[in-house]
Each structure stands twice: as C-alpha cells, then as structure tokens.
Amino acid sequence: MWYVLQTMTGREEALVEMVRKTVPSSLYEDCFIAYYERVWRKQQQSIVHIERLFPGYMLIITDKPDEVFLELKHIPAMVKLLSDGDFGFVPLRREEQMFFQDLLDMDNPDGERIVRLSYVEKDRSGHVYRVSGPLRGYMGQVVKYQFKKRYAIIRFRMLGEEKTAALGIILKEDIEQELAYGKVEAPVRVPDYYKTEMPEPEQEAAFQTGDAVKVTAGSMDGMDGVVWKVGKGVVEIGVHLFGQDVSVEVPVDEVCKV
C-alpha cells in the first residue's frame, strides 16, 4: 500500500534522503516525491521546469507499515522533519493509489516519478478537441485550462478529501520549436514521448479541394459538404445551410470523405 508523510515545503528531499539512509530497504518498496513537468513561457521560448506536484508530501510504498512506522518514529531527526511535529503516516485509499499510480506511470522503466506534459490541441474558437498524455484519462476531472500559463487544473481525492492540482500541458506552438529545460538552461530537442503525441502529418494532406465530406463530430456533426480549402490542421468546407451555401472551418480529424 501507499502511505503519505507530510513535512514542511522545501524539506521533502531531505525527508526522502533520511528514509533511504535509515530505514532498511527490506521494509519498503519505494519512497519518493511526486513531481510534474510544467512549461513556462519566457521571451517567446518554452522552458520546461520540473516541480513538486504536492509540496510538503512524500509517498512511501510498503507492505510492512507497522515496522516502517516504528523505524521512523524512533529517529529524532526524522520527527523534526515532519510537519509541526505531527507524526502522520496515513494510507491512501485504493482508488487514490490507482489514480496516482496511473498518473505517475509507475511502470515506466526509468523509475522517475514525474507526471509528464500532456499534449493539448484546441480549435480556433479555443475549444479543446485533442488531448494525449497523462491528462487524457482525466478530462472529466478538469476544472479549467490555463493555456497562457500551460497548465490544467484537475479535481481529485487524496486522503479522503477533495483537492485540486495543476498538471502541465504543451501546445502546438511549443512543439514546433526547441524546448529548454530550466534546471540546466540547455536547449534540447523534443523527447520522443512528445513527438508521438503530435497529430500524424498525413492527416493534414488527406483532403483536397472538391472532396465530398461528412462532419463526424462537433456542432456540425452529420453535415455533408464539399472541401473548399485545406489548411494546417483544418479544412474549410462549403455546406448548404439556411437555404444558401456557407463556409465553415472544421478540424481535419472531425471530417471524413464520402
């Protein structure tokens, strides 16, 4: 099971180091801090920072909680690291554990406990129509998107209480340039796990002017029309509406040929 220890913000790494040095490794599977990637915009550049997802919290996985608890409680230096001297060693509920396990991708081979960026694409009206990455499975829990600040607020439960957290997002304009990682200030190419989340390039070349198409999603779902113009990620189609031909712009993945 997963257990939570609380400390003062800024002392999380010290708490993890203390556990790893003093508690026998045979008593627990892992202890770690959950981090997340966040994009900051500075001078038209996208800079990735890695920040604490839950400031003040450390997570420990063990099937011997009583033994771990005794080890922790008998270490004076450990108690001093805990928040307000309150020795809280609280288990996560099963559904909470599954949520974090999925979000942090605990099965990844690199062993990192980082919520990666989610790729979010929106139409010209600002509506989200494509999401991939960690956020994809939790779109129903999104409270709001902050596109300029590159994060989404989601609602979840932790320790039996409803909480909110920010998850980092990345937009098309970010992946069309080189990213810089803030901790090293060194420009790097977009990692493969971002590249695979991008729309397939052939989608944009799938239609030609004059193609007969049908809209398959959105407010125009089921409407027939003809392609008038092909853009980047969108197609402009002519449809018969209110007794006349009008032009509407639709994302390419919401249109199919007929």
Side-chain angles (χ1 to χ4, degrees):
M1 289 204 41
W2 292 33
Y3 291 81
V4 174
L5 279 172
Q6 188 171 5
T7 185
M8 295 180 183
T9 301
R11 303 174 80 178
E12 299 91 343
E13 284 81 5
L15 184 58
V16 168
E17 184 178 358
M18 181 69 69
V19 169
R20 291 175 175 171
K21 283 183 176 180
T22 59
V23 179
S25 58
S26 60
L27 297 183
Y28 67 95
E29 179 182 327
D30 196 6
C31 69
F32 60 92
I33 301 161
Y35 297 94
Y36 77 111
E37 290 182 326
R38 168 86 182 276
V39 172
W40 292 83
R41 294 286 293 171
K42 183 179 181 180
Q43 297 178 345
Q44 304 301 313
Q45 187 180 25
S46 298
I47 302 174
V48 179
H49 285 209
I50 297 177
E51 304 177 5
R52 300 181 189 98
L53 182 61
F54 307 115
Y57 291 94
M58 186 206 79
L59 292 153
I60 186 166
I61 303 174
T62 178
D63 58 1
K64 300 176 181 177
D66 293 338
E67 295 177 57
V68 171
F69 179 81
L70 289 174
E71 288 284 342
L72 298 175
K73 193 174 181 179
H74 292 155
I75 303 171
M78 180 75 68
V79 177
K80 290 181 181 179
L81 286 173
L82 299 175
S83 179
D84 300 324
D86 182 15
F87 201 97
F89 190 54
V90 187
L92 290 180
R93 296 180 179 181
R94 180 64 177 173
E95 60 273 19
E96 296 171 346
Q97 176 182 322
M98 296 301 293
F99 169 72
F100 292 119
Q101 191 169 353
D102 178 59
L103 202 64
L104 292 166
D105 188 17
M106 298 293 287
D107 295 327
N108 72 73
D110 59 20
E112 295 179 339
R113 307 307 185 212
I114 302 172
V115 183
R116 298 297 182 183
L117 295 169
S118 295
Y119 177 75
V120 174
E121 192 164 351
K122 54 183 178 174
D123 59 26
R124 296 194 177 185
S125 299
H127 299 124
V128 172
Y129 71 92
R130 181 185 284 118
V131 174
S132 56
L135 190 61
R136 183 175 182 177
Y138 303 100
M139 293 180 64
Q141 295 172 226
V142 174
V143 177
K144 65 178 178 179
Y145 291 96
Q146 288 281 8
F147 295 115
K148 289 185 178 180
K149 295 184 178 181
R150 301 298 198 272
Y151 66 82
I153 298 291
I154 66 166
R155 184 182 290 112
F156 65 99
R157 295 190 69 80
M158 182 175 180
L159 303 178
E161 297 180 359
E162 189 171 275
K163 298 180 180 292
T164 58
L167 297 185
I169 63 175
I170 191 169
L171 306 180
K172 179 176 284 189
E173 52 261 46
D174 300 313
I175 59 178
E176 288 175 345
Q177 61 174 274
E178 289 188 343
L179 293 175
Y181 279 79
K183 288 203 170 184
V184 294
E185 297 296 333
V188 295
R189 289 290 180 182
V190 180
D192 289 340
Y193 47 77
Y194 296 146
K195 292 181 180 179
T196 57
E197 307 295 3
M198 295 175 62
E200 296 296 332
E202 57 265 30
Q203 287 181 318
E204 298 183 357
F207 301 99
Q208 295 181 355
T209 301
D211 284 344
V213 296
K214 179 186 287 291
V215 182
T216 59
S219 60
M220 305 295 290
D221 187 15
M223 186 71 70
D224 294 318
V226 176
V227 175
W228 285 3
K229 184 180 179 182
V230 179
K232 189 173 183 179
V234 296
V235 289
E236 182 181 329
I237 63 174
V239 299
H240 197 67
L241 196 63
F242 306 121
Q244 59 182 338
D245 290 332
V246 298
S247 170
V248 295
E249 192 174 84
V250 184
V252 293
D253 62 350
E254 294 183 5
V255 181
C256 67
K257 293 181 181 180
V258 296

